[in-house]
Amino acid sequence: MTDPSVIRRLIGVYHADGGLRGELAYVVGKVRGTASCALCDITHGAFGRRRQWRDLLPELGVPVELVHLNERSAPVRAASEGRTPCVLAVTDGGHLPLLGPDELTGLDGDVARFAEALRAAAGRAGLRWESAD
């Protein structure tokens, strides 16, 4: 049974390319002050994925996929083009933006505030978590 109001999974799109070249370009740009990604600030610290981020994932109750600009599928590209970083909800009705660059930047890298903002955005969009069935 399909239900377009149920979040099946989340996709976070970084505002950076993946791969060695992309990661290196981002790090250099970050140091120079010419590159930024608010989603990176939420998910990563100086030494890799933040513990708070890893702890949040099971609490969300749905799979979370993180992709770079050059790793996006066609539906993710269509839903996120020109609006990265962002977080998309995947429902039976398609890919829906939940948090965009302005909302993510306003969280200042805080994982707890991210979780609150994500849940609030889902509520405003009339979406519910798959595990809440």
Side-chain angles (χ1 to χ4, degrees), residues 98 118-127:
L98 287 182
L118 185 64
R119 290 181 178 108
R124 285 191 303 276
L127 301 176

Side-chain angles (χ1 to χ4, degrees), residues 49-67:
R49 293 257 168 106
R50 297 173 79 184
R51 189 188 73 223
Q52 298 94 332
W53 173 255
R54 291 189 314 263
D55 291 347
L56 171 65
L57 293 176
E59 293 176 23
L60 294 176
V62 296
V64 177
E65 178 184 0
L66 298 169
V67 298

Side-chain angles (χ1 to χ4, degrees), residues 34-55:
T34 58
S36 66
C37 174
L39 184 57
C40 296
D41 295 341
I42 292 166
T43 63
H44 286 77
F47 302 106
R49 293 257 168 106
R50 297 173 79 184
R51 189 188 73 223
Q52 298 94 332
W53 173 255
R54 291 189 314 263
D55 291 347

